[in-house]
Amino acid sequence: MKRFAISICLFLLLLLGQWLIVPFFVYAEDPPNVKEISNIGELRAAIAEINESTEPNLSYLLELKADIVADQDDKLSFDKGSTTIKGNGHSLSGFDQLVVSNGAIVHLGETGDTLRIDGGWDHPTSTPRPLLQALGGGTINMHEGTIIDNRDISHTNSLATVVLVQMNGIFNMLGGSIQNCKVSDAGGMYDGCQSMICVNKGTFNMSGGSIKNNRVKRLSSPTITNPTEFVRGAAVCAFSSMVNISGGSITDNQIITDGCSGYGAALFAWGSTVNVSGGSITDNQIITDDGSGYGAGIFVLDSDIRVSDTQITGNSIDGNQGYGGGIFAQDSDVSITNSLVAFNSAGGAASDVCFSLTEDGTHSLNLPSVEKMNERLAEGDERNITGWYHDNPDDRYSESNPTEQLTLTDNLNKDLYLVAGYSQQEPDTIDISAQVNWDDQENAQGLRPQSITIGLLENGNPTGKSLRLSHSNNWRGSLMGLPQSLSGSNIEYDISVEDIGHDYYTEISGNASTGFLITAHLKPVEPQPDLPAPPPFPDPIPSPIPSPSLNPDFTFELSWQTGEESVPTIQVTTSQESPLDETDSPNPIPLLPKTGQATSPVFLNFALLIFGFVVLVRPKK
């Protein structure tokens, strides 16, 4: 009965395993098809295989094993599955366009990978198209370690320079960099929208990486027909789209115009929804000659923009007229919270935020509190933001004119030019000196180090600043121009000696105001105690003890009794004495006292094994 129950349990366990475990193997995602790519021919063949495949949930990994140089007529189109292009430190260059459509997904690089996409163009008489394009539900994911650069073209009639996202396409910038790209004569049929990334009825998500050091220029005498009168966007341009920036940086991008206007060097958005919830937009610039600049950081028109936990600083407009060095918002709803929008500049008015209404109706404007902006100042920044102020060229806020302070209100219904007023006083500074005196009898033992490093402490914490003192500077020096206070509180400075060596110890006296004196004392040489005489060499090592024999004679007897109490009887005896005698070793080892016939543990275990077997197989009564 027990055996039957055990069989049933085993059967049920097998069924349970079939139900729980097997599906993980049956429905597990197939590993990607790996293709090693060493030349453009292999790349073309791999893309053709991807597009012609009928497999569901298609996944490919294209591993570059060399730098791949394509023909400028090559259009690399992906319209199926999910494909990762892994660079392995190599580059992809020379192609006309990489297009992702029809719901396909292309990953540029992956975590821990390095991939460079060289956007160089060698035919100045031709009009290059965007380097990358996501459309028709296609998605391009750009990962950390991927660099797109060297897109240096004279002009283009296309809607973007590096990435075009349209018709429900998606571009996710998870990391990497789009950098050092140039358009030397923007304009053409698309109204000067030759920014690095253009989103037209699509989505751009940026959570990491950088868009930096890109230039879009508009000449007064362009080589193209029907020139436009402005340039829109150097980094990102969006029309009727969704833009989400939650990390990364957009920095040092420029619009340069000759006789026309520039809009939004970092971001231009028209009829779009813009969410900026992290990262930084800094040091972007509009440079105009007899033109105007609007929103060196961000320009939005007929849009909804929400900015939080973001730094928008150092953006500037250099030219005849400038409005909104940080943000220019026209006929839009603007909400800025917990952010730093300050220290931008504009040549005309509204250094930081320009809010303009040109049509009937009302739009809302929410500005960040002064306290929150001051909290986000970099450590050591002595500037202090004191409020939002009405600003124009004739009434710029200053310490002597702290008037027209504005309250933070919604539903504004007239033109306003706003600037974050701040005092930029030079902080009081202090010079801290340090000198080393040596107490080592003029280096009589030659142990003095060549130099020592003195570290600076600020309120007990290392600052990373240091002095290196040596014989060449007479063992003295100073740290110059250190601030005396931080956020209204005095700073307590101290020093530490970082590398004096093990032959010296130091005493420090003085303070930040009078200077620090480090006295380096040579450690006294402690007398060495007399060493005892070595012990005599030991006698020769005795010979090993011989091993006992393990082959004793034995007899084995098994009897079985039947009756009411069935008890097996086992008797095991040995007949051979141990060969090891007390006199065989020069260092005798006492043996256990003999108490009769002894049984070896090995044989006892063997006997017990037989006994257990008999109990198991004996017939039942």
Side-chain angles (χ1 to χ4, degrees):
M1 189 65 183
K2 289 184 178 179
R3 292 180 180 178
F4 177 75
I6 292 174
S7 299
I8 292 297
C9 291
L10 289 174
F11 178 73
L12 292 175
L13 285 174
L14 288 174
L15 286 180
L16 185 63
Q18 179 82 5
W19 180 59
L20 290 177
I21 300 174
V22 172
F24 287 98
F25 295 94
V26 174
Y27 300 107
E29 184 178 351
D30 293 333
N33 296 298
V34 179
K35 299 288 185 181
E36 294 186 352
I37 308 298
S38 299
N39 54 60
I40 185 58
E42 293 177 352
L43 180 59
R44 292 192 194 107
I47 295 174
E49 179 180 328
I50 293 169
N51 293 332
E52 294 170 4
S53 176
T54 59
E55 297 179 16
N57 302 320
L58 187 66
S59 178
Y60 273 83
L61 173 61
L62 307 184
E63 293 216 42
L64 303 190
K65 297 300 181 180
D67 293 341
I68 306 300
V69 180
D71 297 330
Q72 292 204 316
D73 293 331
D74 277 322
K75 184 177 180 180
L76 310 176
S77 298
F78 297 82
D79 55 25
K80 284 185 180 179
S82 176
T83 303
T84 297
I85 301 177
K86 185 176 180 181
N88 294 312
H90 297 295
S91 64
L92 177 62
S93 64
F95 58 91
D96 174 42
Q97 217 179 9
L98 189 152
V99 180
V100 184
S101 62
N102 196 32
I105 302 172
V106 169
H107 299 271
L108 301 178
E110 62 180 19
T111 302
D113 182 41
T114 301
L115 169 67
R116 181 188 175 213
I117 298 179
D118 187 342
W121 185 264
D122 295 331
H123 299 291
T125 59
S126 302
T127 299
R129 292 180 289 186
L131 188 64
L132 310 175
Q133 187 173 177
L135 72 158
T139 300
I140 298 176
N141 295 322
M142 182 173 175
H143 293 267
E144 187 66 38
T146 300
I147 296 176
I148 302 176
D149 65 354
N150 197 35
R151 189 73 168 165
D152 190 350
I153 57 180
S154 59
H155 64 276
T156 177
N157 282 328
S158 297
L159 194 56
T161 299
V162 175
V163 183
L164 175 60
V165 186
Q166 60 180 345
M167 297 167 56
N168 297 318
I170 300 173
F171 178 45
N172 295 318
M173 190 167 182
L174 310 174
S177 180
I178 298 175
Q179 62 185 36
N180 305 328
C181 298
K182 300 177 183 178
V183 178
S184 58
D185 198 353
M189 61 184 298
Y190 289 113
D191 296 335
C193 297
Q194 280 73 54
S195 59
M196 300 303 107
I197 300 171
C198 185
V199 193
N200 182 26
K201 298 180 180 179
T203 300
F204 170 53
N205 299 313
M206 182 178 184
S207 59
S210 61
I211 307 172
K212 62 182 181 181
N213 195 38
N214 302 289
R215 308 283 183 267
V216 177
K217 187 175 183 180
R218 159 71 164 79
L219 299 176
S220 58
S221 300
T223 58
I224 57 179
T225 59
N226 301 320
T228 58
E229 298 301 323
F230 42 78
V231 175
R232 295 171 175 170
V236 180
C237 189
F239 301 92
S240 304
S241 296
M242 175 69 73
V243 176
N244 298 304
I245 300 174
S246 58
S249 62
I250 304 177
T251 183
D252 194 27
N253 301 281
Q254 285 186 347
I255 290 176
I256 304 173
T257 68
D258 184 1
C260 64
S261 298
Y263 298 82
L267 170 63
F268 173 96
W270 188 353
S272 299
T273 299
V274 179
N275 295 304
V276 185
S277 59
S280 61
I281 298 175
T282 59
D283 299 325
N284 302 282
Q285 192 174 20
I286 298 176
I287 301 174
T288 66
D289 184 7
D290 295 328
S292 299
Y294 301 86
I298 297 175
F299 176 94
V300 290
L301 171 64
D302 292 328
S303 297
D304 183 1
I305 178 171
R306 298 180 181 276
V307 179
S308 62
D309 301 301
T310 303
Q311 178 175 315
I312 302 177
T313 62
N315 305 285
S316 63
I317 299 173
D318 180 10
N320 184 41
Q321 295 182 21
Y323 304 91
I327 299 175
F328 185 100
Q330 179 175 324
D331 300 324
S332 299
D333 292 311
V334 180
S335 175
I336 310 172
T337 58
N338 196 32
S339 296
L340 177 63
V341 185
F343 318 129
N344 305 281
S345 64
S351 297
D352 288 295
V353 177
C354 180
F355 185 82
S356 176
L357 295 176
T358 62
E359 58 186 25
D360 293 335
T362 60
H363 289 277
S364 64
L365 170 65
N366 289 303
L367 298 176
S369 68
V370 172
E371 292 76 15
K372 285 296 183 183
M373 289 202 291
N374 281 321
E375 286 179 6
R376 299 185 67 88
L377 287 175
E379 185 176 351
D381 194 332
E382 293 295 320
R383 293 174 293 187
N384 180 38
I385 300 169
T386 57
W388 291 96
Y389 292 87
H390 184 194
D391 181 42
N392 61 58
D394 299 324
D395 189 22
R396 184 64 53 85
Y397 167 76
S398 67
E399 283 290 312
S400 60
N401 183 29
T403 60
E404 299 190 56
Q405 183 170 1
L406 300 174
T407 59
L408 312 185
T409 60
D410 291 336
N411 301 323
L412 304 178
N413 54 15
K414 63 179 180 179
D415 286 353
L416 285 177
Y417 300 101
L418 305 175
V419 62
Y422 59 91
S423 59
Q424 194 172 354
Q425 300 173 341
E426 290 295 330
D428 294 333
T429 61
I430 185 174
D431 300 336
I432 296 179
S433 63
Q435 177 180 345
V436 180
N437 285 346
W438 294 96
D439 178 20
D440 58 0
Q441 298 179 352
E442 301 298 330
N443 197 22
Q445 298 186 35
L447 299 176
R448 187 181 297 181
Q450 296 294 321
S451 64
I452 66 173
T453 299
I454 308 300
L456 180 68
L457 305 178
E458 181 181 295
N459 296 329
N461 300 314
T463 64
K465 299 181 176 67
S466 61
L467 281 173
R468 183 171 293 275
L469 305 181
S470 65
H471 177 74
S472 61
N473 56 23
N474 202 24
W475 301 102
R476 65 179 64 193
S478 299
L479 289 166
M480 311 292 288
L482 299 171
Q484 284 189 321
S485 62
L486 175 62
S487 300
S489 300
N490 290 331
I491 299 174
E492 297 292 335
Y493 287 107
D494 205 343
I495 63 169
S496 64
V497 180
E498 298 183 358
D499 56 354
I500 189 66
H502 65 275
D503 295 311
Y504 291 84
Y505 69 94
T506 60
E507 292 180 339
I508 300 175
S509 59
N511 54 51
S513 300
T514 61
F516 291 97
L517 176 64
I518 303 103
T519 303
H521 302 278
L522 183 65
K523 294 180 181 178
V525 178
E526 297 181 0
Q528 297 294 327
D530 295 334
L531 297 178
F537 198 79
D539 295 333
I541 299 174
S543 301
I545 300 172
S547 300
S549 172
L550 296 178
N551 299 306
D553 296 330
F554 69 94
T555 61
F556 183 89
E557 180 180 348
L558 172 65
S559 63
W560 188 269
Q561 297 177 3
T562 60
E564 197 67 29
E565 294 294 335
S566 297
V567 180
T569 302
I570 300 174
Q571 183 178 359
V572 181
T573 61
T574 63
S575 61
Q576 180 171 326
E577 299 290 340
S578 172
L580 181 61
D581 191 83
E582 288 87 341
T583 60
D584 289 340
S585 172
N587 296 307
I589 300 176
L591 299 176
L592 292 174
K594 297 183 179 180
T595 59
Q597 293 292 344
T599 302
S600 170
V602 175
F603 308 128
L604 180 58
N605 291 338
F606 178 72
L608 291 175
L609 177 62
I610 297 299
F611 173 71
F613 174 75
V614 171
V615 172
L616 289 175
V617 303
R618 68 185 177 90
K620 293 184 178 291
K621 181 179 177 181

